[in-house]
Amino acid sequence: MKVIAENEGLPVVEAADQKAPNELGQQIFTAFDQVSTANGLLPYLDWATPTMGDTLGAGLQDLIAKQRTPEQVLQELEQDYSDFTSKG
């Protein structure tokens, strides 16, 4: 993690204990540490819903192929998340 921090990357373990190259970086390290140690971090965006991996993958492919706009893909991502979180 020290090498990652020294090269301006975000260390994912004990982030607050690492020395960032600047003050803003240190604030980010500290905030990341607070969120991750309080179980507030979702490790992978595709874990947000049971279908998000498929939604993300298809959306990115369509963006690359210029078959959909970023706004259209964002709407699909929001719909996937909304459908999942509204179940209850």
Side-chain angles (χ1 to χ4, degrees), residues 3-82:
V3 172
I4 291 171
E6 288 172 352
N7 287 284
E8 299 187 19
L10 177 62
V12 296
V13 177
E14 300 173 343
D17 296 338
Q18 305 304 321
K19 179 156 177 42
N22 56 54
E23 179 59 30
L24 177 59
Q26 195 62 49
Q27 290 174 10
I28 292 169
F29 286 10
T30 300
F32 182 86
D33 187 68
Q34 289 171 349
V35 170
S36 63
T37 57
N39 293 322
L41 181 67
L42 182 64
Y44 299 101
L45 293 176
D46 62 343
W47 289 8
T49 75
T51 56
M52 188 60 77
D54 292 335
T55 304
L56 277 168
L60 290 174
Q61 288 177 20
D62 287 346
L63 279 174
I64 291 169
K66 297 184 181 182
Q67 294 179 348
R68 286 198 208 132
T69 66
E71 293 79 15
Q72 290 171 316
V73 173
L74 180 59
Q75 176 60 38
E76 291 174 2
L77 295 173
E78 289 175 347
Q79 188 65 52
D80 185 315
Y81 188 73
S82 176

